[in-house]
Every structure is written in C-alpha cells, then in structure tokens.
Amino acid sequence: MRDQTPPLTPELLLHAYASGVFPMSESKDDPEVFWVDPKRRGIIPLDGFHISRSLGRSMRRCDYRVSFDTAFGKVVEGCADRDETWINETIFRLYGHLHEAGVAHSVEVWEGEELVGGCYGVALGGAFFGESMFSRRTDTSKMALAWMVDRLNQGGFTLFDTQFLTPHLATLGAIEVSRAHYRGLLAAALEIDADFDRAKTVPTAQELLQRNIQTS
C-alpha cells in the first residue's frame, strides 16, 4: 500500500510503526514520502540469527571495534550513500529527531577511526524496526547486524522487523511472514517493556558468538 502522506512528524512516524507501516521515498531528491505496508514482511527471529564461519572469522578480527549510538547521523549517511536510496532529507531529519529522543538507535563498526559499517532503526516496546544498513568492508554490515541482534536479545526484545526479505538477510536467518502474522507479533511486542540500553557494555566477538550458539 502506497499513499502520499501529510507532513511527517516524529510522533506520526512512531504511530505509523506501531500500526505496522513505515515511510519511504522514491529517491534521495524526491521530497515526497509514502507509507508502505507489505503483504509479506521480513523479520529476523532473534533466536535464529545465523553466523557463518566466515562471518565469525571477520568478527574476531582485532582491527574492528563496535559501538552503539555514537555516530547515528554518520550511520544514516552511510546507508544513504548509494546510487539508489529511499532516504531523503525529510526522513534523514526525522530519524535524527527520534535518535535525540532516545527512540532511534545505531550500531557502528569501526576500523581505526573510519566508520566501515553499521545499521540503524527504531525501538518501540519489545519491537525493533530495522531501517537500513551499509558496509564499506567485507562482512561489516553483517557484523553490525550480529551485534544488533545480540543487543536486542540482551534488552528483552522479541521482534526484529527488517521490512523486506532479501537474499543477503536470508543467509543470516531472516524469514518472511504474512501481514496478519506480523501484526500479531507486533501487537505482542509492543506490550513488552524492553530496554535497548540494558546491556551496559559492548560484548567481545567471543562473548557474542558464545551467546549466539546458546540461543540459536
């Protein structure tokens, strides 16, 4: 479902997420924003994230470090830095407001002082709505997702919404569910008092990999 929307506000955006829809734009230069409500929805089961051996090796590389919510704007910029993107100026601004309000979050992957991967999204109750991710080195977007999934598990979340299922996400354990099934998962998740910041420290790769074995 795609309908032209009235001017977006952070409050309207959060209401849309709670209703099961999310905003997109046709391109970076298109000022219009429309709502999307897919018939089939992509999710990552938080107990089914798959870490391959090659990804595990990348995660153990000592020249990478991971952080949360230290460079939100740069992560969104990284996600929008491609030939085709749905992140226009309005969307960029609104998610910045949500981050300032403590509702939108990011995970960052660094190589030295260079941001080489990350993803961001919005947290409501026990639901996390993943918006986009990017990679400037092999596997760094997958690494960002691995640390994000672990963060959500530690915080008591039950739903990780990826909007659509892509071949890339499918290799990590993402699945597709019907709109009706998604709405049921969302309703249950919104009743949960999860906390994105419950984990006070960023786990090492070895700690994360061990927990992934126990939960998957």
Side-chain angles (χ1 to χ4, degrees), residues 59-80:
M59 291 169 62
R60 291 186 182 96
R61 283 183 55 178
C62 60
D63 49 349
Y64 288 138
R65 64 182 177 86
V66 176
S67 61
F68 289 93
D69 288 335
T70 65
F72 182 86
K74 291 185 179 298
V75 169
V76 181
E77 288 176 358
C79 292

PDB file of all heavy atoms in Angstrom, residues 59-80:
ATOM      1  N   MET A  59      34.402 -11.270  12.516  1.00  0.00           N
ATOM      2  CA  MET A  59      34.074 -10.663  13.800  1.00  0.00           C
ATOM      3  C   MET A  59      35.247 -10.713  14.771  1.00  0.00           C
ATOM      4  O   MET A  59      35.392  -9.833  15.626  1.00  0.00           O
ATOM      5  CB  MET A  59      32.856 -11.366  14.409  1.00  0.00           C
ATOM      6  CG  MET A  59      31.557 -11.092  13.651  1.00  0.00           C
ATOM      7  SD  MET A  59      30.188 -12.156  14.151  1.00  0.00           S
ATOM      8  CE  MET A  59      30.021 -11.691  15.883  1.00  0.00           C
ATOM      9  N   ARG A  60      36.076 -11.734  14.645  1.00  0.00           N
ATOM     10  CA  ARG A  60      37.209 -11.885  15.562  1.00  0.00           C
ATOM     11  C   ARG A  60      38.406 -11.019  15.176  1.00  0.00           C
ATOM     12  O   ARG A  60      39.383 -10.954  15.924  1.00  0.00           O
ATOM     13  CB  ARG A  60      37.639 -13.352  15.619  1.00  0.00           C
ATOM     14  CG  ARG A  60      36.625 -14.280  16.295  1.00  0.00           C
ATOM     15  CD  ARG A  60      37.222 -15.670  16.436  1.00  0.00           C
ATOM     16  NE  ARG A  60      36.280 -16.602  17.028  1.00  0.00           N
ATOM     17  CZ  ARG A  60      35.495 -17.426  16.318  1.00  0.00           C
ATOM     18  NH1 ARG A  60      35.545 -17.403  14.983  1.00  0.00           N
ATOM     19  NH2 ARG A  60      34.668 -18.253  16.912  1.00  0.00           N
ATOM     20  N   ARG A  61      38.340 -10.364  14.027  1.00  0.00           N
ATOM     21  CA  ARG A  61      39.462  -9.533  13.612  1.00  0.00           C
ATOM     22  C   ARG A  61      39.690  -8.420  14.623  1.00  0.00           C
ATOM     23  O   ARG A  61      38.774  -7.660  14.959  1.00  0.00           O
ATOM     24  CB  ARG A  61      39.196  -8.925  12.232  1.00  0.00           C
ATOM     25  CG  ARG A  61      39.397  -9.891  11.088  1.00  0.00           C
ATOM     26  CD  ARG A  61      39.190  -9.196   9.762  1.00  0.00           C
ATOM     27  NE  ARG A  61      40.041  -8.010   9.598  1.00  0.00           N
ATOM     28  CZ  ARG A  61      40.063  -7.272   8.501  1.00  0.00           C
ATOM     29  NH1 ARG A  61      39.263  -7.567   7.500  1.00  0.00           N
ATOM     30  NH2 ARG A  61      40.855  -6.221   8.421  1.00  0.00           N
ATOM     31  N   CYS A  62      40.906  -8.300  15.090  1.00  0.00           N
ATOM     32  CA  CYS A  62      41.193  -7.358  16.175  1.00  0.00           C
ATOM     33  C   CYS A  62      41.226  -5.908  15.700  1.00  0.00           C
ATOM     34  O   CYS A  62      41.257  -4.985  16.525  1.00  0.00           O
ATOM     35  CB  CYS A  62      42.519  -7.717  16.855  1.00  0.00           C
ATOM     36  SG  CYS A  62      43.938  -7.667  15.736  1.00  0.00           S
ATOM     37  N   ASP A  63      41.223  -5.690  14.372  1.00  0.00           N
ATOM     38  CA  ASP A  63      41.277  -4.301  13.900  1.00  0.00           C
ATOM     39  C   ASP A  63      39.896  -3.677  13.736  1.00  0.00           C
ATOM     40  O   ASP A  63      39.787  -2.546  13.284  1.00  0.00           O
ATOM     41  CB  ASP A  63      42.059  -4.200  12.580  1.00  0.00           C
ATOM     42  CG  ASP A  63      41.607  -5.210  11.540  1.00  0.00           C
ATOM     43  OD1 ASP A  63      40.838  -6.120  11.891  1.00  0.00           O
ATOM     44  OD2 ASP A  63      42.032  -5.083  10.378  1.00  0.00           O
ATOM     45  N   TYR A  64      38.835  -4.406  14.117  1.00  0.00           N
ATOM     46  CA  TYR A  64      37.492  -3.847  14.121  1.00  0.00           C
ATOM     47  C   TYR A  64      37.032  -3.614  15.554  1.00  0.00           C
ATOM     48  O   TYR A  64      37.346  -4.397  16.447  1.00  0.00           O
ATOM     49  CB  TYR A  64      36.481  -4.783  13.445  1.00  0.00           C
ATOM     50  CG  TYR A  64      36.600  -4.869  11.941  1.00  0.00           C
ATOM     51  CD1 TYR A  64      36.498  -6.089  11.298  1.00  0.00           C
ATOM     52  CD2 TYR A  64      36.800  -3.727  11.164  1.00  0.00           C
ATOM     53  CE1 TYR A  64      36.590  -6.183   9.911  1.00  0.00           C
ATOM     54  CE2 TYR A  64      36.898  -3.813   9.786  1.00  0.00           C
ATOM     55  CZ  TYR A  64      36.798  -5.041   9.160  1.00  0.00           C
ATOM     56  OH  TYR A  64      36.890  -5.124   7.802  1.00  0.00           O
ATOM     57  N   ARG A  65      36.278  -2.550  15.760  1.00  0.00           N
ATOM     58  CA  ARG A  65      35.618  -2.352  17.045  1.00  0.00           C
ATOM     59  C   ARG A  65      34.181  -1.932  16.792  1.00  0.00           C
ATOM     60  O   ARG A  65      33.853  -1.388  15.717  1.00  0.00           O
ATOM     61  CB  ARG A  65      36.342  -1.306  17.908  1.00  0.00           C
ATOM     62  CG  ARG A  65      36.363   0.085  17.348  1.00  0.00           C
ATOM     63  CD  ARG A  65      37.134   1.047  18.250  1.00  0.00           C
ATOM     64  NE  ARG A  65      37.214   2.376  17.672  1.00  0.00           N
ATOM     65  CZ  ARG A  65      36.299   3.325  17.811  1.00  0.00           C
ATOM     66  NH1 ARG A  65      35.226   3.087  18.565  1.00  0.00           N
ATOM     67  NH2 ARG A  65      36.444   4.501  17.245  1.00  0.00           N
ATOM     68  N   VAL A  66      33.326  -2.159  17.765  1.00  0.00           N
ATOM     69  CA  VAL A  66      31.896  -1.924  17.609  1.00  0.00           C
ATOM     70  C   VAL A  66      31.415  -0.976  18.699  1.00  0.00           C
ATOM     71  O   VAL A  66      31.868  -1.057  19.851  1.00  0.00           O
ATOM     72  CB  VAL A  66      31.119  -3.252  17.668  1.00  0.00           C
ATOM     73  CG1 VAL A  66      29.607  -3.009  17.617  1.00  0.00           C
ATOM     74  CG2 VAL A  66      31.549  -4.171  16.530  1.00  0.00           C
ATOM     75  N   SER A  67      30.493  -0.096  18.359  1.00  0.00           N
ATOM     76  CA  SER A  67      29.897   0.825  19.331  1.00  0.00           C
ATOM     77  C   SER A  67      28.415   0.968  19.027  1.00  0.00           C
ATOM     78  O   SER A  67      27.934   0.579  17.961  1.00  0.00           O
ATOM     79  CB  SER A  67      30.589   2.192  19.284  1.00  0.00           C
ATOM     80  OG  SER A  67      30.447   2.783  17.998  1.00  0.00           O
ATOM     81  N   PHE A  68      27.688   1.539  19.973  1.00  0.00           N
ATOM     82  CA  PHE A  68      26.266   1.811  19.811  1.00  0.00           C
ATOM     83  C   PHE A  68      25.994   3.287  20.063  1.00  0.00           C
ATOM     84  O   PHE A  68      26.497   3.862  21.037  1.00  0.00           O
ATOM     85  CB  PHE A  68      25.432   0.979  20.786  1.00  0.00           C
ATOM     86  CG  PHE A  68      25.383  -0.487  20.461  1.00  0.00           C
ATOM     87  CD1 PHE A  68      26.298  -1.365  21.025  1.00  0.00           C
ATOM     88  CD2 PHE A  68      24.424  -0.995  19.575  1.00  0.00           C
ATOM     89  CE1 PHE A  68      26.262  -2.717  20.723  1.00  0.00           C
ATOM     90  CE2 PHE A  68      24.386  -2.337  19.273  1.00  0.00           C
ATOM     91  CZ  PHE A  68      25.304  -3.204  19.840  1.00  0.00           C
ATOM     92  N   ASP A  69      25.213   3.884  19.180  1.00  0.00           N
ATOM     93  CA  ASP A  69      24.706   5.246  19.376  1.00  0.00           C
ATOM     94  C   ASP A  69      25.790   6.299  19.560  1.00  0.00           C
ATOM     95  O   ASP A  69      25.594   7.285  20.263  1.00  0.00           O
ATOM     96  CB  ASP A  69      23.747   5.282  20.569  1.00  0.00           C
ATOM     97  CG  ASP A  69      22.414   4.603  20.258  1.00  0.00           C
ATOM     98  OD1 ASP A  69      22.048   4.542  19.072  1.00  0.00           O
ATOM     99  OD2 ASP A  69      21.748   4.152  21.208  1.00  0.00           O
ATOM    100  N   THR A  70      26.932   6.100  18.922  1.00  0.00           N
ATOM    101  CA  THR A  70      27.985   7.116  18.999  1.00  0.00           C
ATOM    102  C   THR A  70      28.117   7.924  17.720  1.00  0.00           C
ATOM    103  O   THR A  70      28.774   8.967  17.718  1.00  0.00           O
ATOM    104  CB  THR A  70      29.355   6.470  19.310  1.00  0.00           C
ATOM    105  OG1 THR A  70      29.748   5.629  18.215  1.00  0.00           O
ATOM    106  CG2 THR A  70      29.299   5.649  20.588  1.00  0.00           C
ATOM    107  N   ALA A  71      27.503   7.459  16.621  1.00  0.00           N
ATOM    108  CA  ALA A  71      27.616   8.162  15.340  1.00  0.00           C
ATOM    109  C   ALA A  71      26.357   7.914  14.515  1.00  0.00           C
ATOM    110  O   ALA A  71      26.429   7.511  13.353  1.00  0.00           O
ATOM    111  CB  ALA A  71      28.860   7.707  14.593  1.00  0.00           C
ATOM    112  N   PHE A  72      25.195   8.175  15.123  1.00  0.00           N
ATOM    113  CA  PHE A  72      23.928   7.857  14.462  1.00  0.00           C
ATOM    114  C   PHE A  72      23.812   8.541  13.102  1.00  0.00           C
ATOM    115  O   PHE A  72      23.489   7.901  12.096  1.00  0.00           O
ATOM    116  CB  PHE A  72      22.757   8.257  15.360  1.00  0.00           C
ATOM    117  CG  PHE A  72      21.419   7.925  14.775  1.00  0.00           C
ATOM    118  CD1 PHE A  72      20.859   6.674  14.958  1.00  0.00           C
ATOM    119  CD2 PHE A  72      20.706   8.872  14.035  1.00  0.00           C
ATOM    120  CE1 PHE A  72      19.627   6.348  14.409  1.00  0.00           C
ATOM    121  CE2 PHE A  72      19.467   8.565  13.493  1.00  0.00           C
ATOM    122  CZ  PHE A  72      18.936   7.299  13.671  1.00  0.00           C
ATOM    123  N   GLY A  73      24.062   9.836  13.057  1.00  0.00           N
ATOM    124  CA  GLY A  73      23.927  10.564  11.801  1.00  0.00           C
ATOM    125  C   GLY A  73      24.841  10.030  10.719  1.00  0.00           C
ATOM    126  O   GLY A  73      24.458   9.933   9.545  1.00  0.00           O
ATOM    127  N   LYS A  74      26.059   9.663  11.090  1.00  0.00           N
ATOM    128  CA  LYS A  74      27.005   9.127  10.107  1.00  0.00           C
ATOM    129  C   LYS A  74      26.560   7.761   9.590  1.00  0.00           C
ATOM    130  O   LYS A  74      26.802   7.416   8.433  1.00  0.00           O
ATOM    131  CB  LYS A  74      28.401   9.045  10.716  1.00  0.00           C
ATOM    132  CG  LYS A  74      29.047  10.396  10.973  1.00  0.00           C
ATOM    133  CD  LYS A  74      30.464  10.252  11.454  1.00  0.00           C
ATOM    134  CE  LYS A  74      31.108  11.619  11.693  1.00  0.00           C
ATOM    135  NZ  LYS A  74      31.184  12.410  10.442  1.00  0.00           N
ATOM    136  N   VAL A  75      25.898   6.978  10.460  1.00  0.00           N
ATOM    137  CA  VAL A  75      25.377   5.684  10.002  1.00  0.00           C
ATOM    138  C   VAL A  75      24.272   5.908   8.971  1.00  0.00           C
ATOM    139  O   VAL A  75      24.240   5.243   7.927  1.00  0.00           O
ATOM    140  CB  VAL A  75      24.859   4.849  11.185  1.00  0.00           C
ATOM    141  CG1 VAL A  75      24.078   3.632  10.694  1.00  0.00           C
ATOM    142  CG2 VAL A  75      26.017   4.395  12.067  1.00  0.00           C
ATOM    143  N   VAL A  76      23.362   6.830   9.247  1.00  0.00           N
ATOM    144  CA  VAL A  76      22.300   7.110   8.278  1.00  0.00           C
ATOM    145  C   VAL A  76      22.897   7.635   6.977  1.00  0.00           C
ATOM    146  O   VAL A  76      22.473   7.253   5.878  1.00  0.00           O
ATOM    147  CB  VAL A  76      21.272   8.111   8.854  1.00  0.00           C
ATOM    148  CG1 VAL A  76      20.160   8.362   7.842  1.00  0.00           C
ATOM    149  CG2 VAL A  76      20.686   7.584  10.159  1.00  0.00           C
ATOM    150  N   GLU A  77      23.914   8.491   7.076  1.00  0.00           N
ATOM    151  CA  GLU A  77      24.590   8.974   5.874  1.00  0.00           C
ATOM    152  C   GLU A  77      25.207   7.821   5.099  1.00  0.00           C
ATOM    153  O   GLU A  77      25.139   7.783   3.860  1.00  0.00           O
ATOM    154  CB  GLU A  77      25.672   9.981   6.253  1.00  0.00           C
ATOM    155  CG  GLU A  77      25.146  11.325   6.727  1.00  0.00           C
ATOM    156  CD  GLU A  77      26.262  12.243   7.178  1.00  0.00           C
ATOM    157  OE1 GLU A  77      27.441  11.802   7.159  1.00  0.00           O
ATOM    158  OE2 GLU A  77      25.972  13.390   7.551  1.00  0.00           O
ATOM    159  N   GLY A  78      25.810   6.873   5.809  1.00  0.00           N
ATOM    160  CA  GLY A  78      26.403   5.716   5.151  1.00  0.00           C
ATOM    161  C   GLY A  78      25.355   4.877   4.436  1.00  0.00           C
ATOM    162  O   GLY A  78      25.588   4.387   3.330  1.00  0.00           O
ATOM    163  N   CYS A  79      24.202   4.729   5.071  1.00  0.00           N
ATOM    164  CA  CYS A  79      23.119   3.960   4.451  1.00  0.00           C
ATOM    165  C   CYS A  79      22.579   4.654   3.207  1.00  0.00           C
ATOM    166  O   CYS A  79      22.122   3.999   2.268  1.00  0.00           O
ATOM    167  CB  CYS A  79      21.994   3.742   5.461  1.00  0.00           C
ATOM    168  SG  CYS A  79      22.439   2.654   6.847  1.00  0.00           S
ATOM    169  N   ALA A  80      22.599   5.978   3.200  1.00  0.00           N
ATOM    170  CA  ALA A  80      22.078   6.743   2.064  1.00  0.00           C
ATOM    171  C   ALA A  80      23.109   6.938   0.963  1.00  0.00           C
ATOM    172  O   ALA A  80      22.762   7.393  -0.139  1.00  0.00           O
ATOM    173  CB  ALA A  80      21.589   8.110   2.542  1.00  0.00           C
TER     174      ALA A  80
END
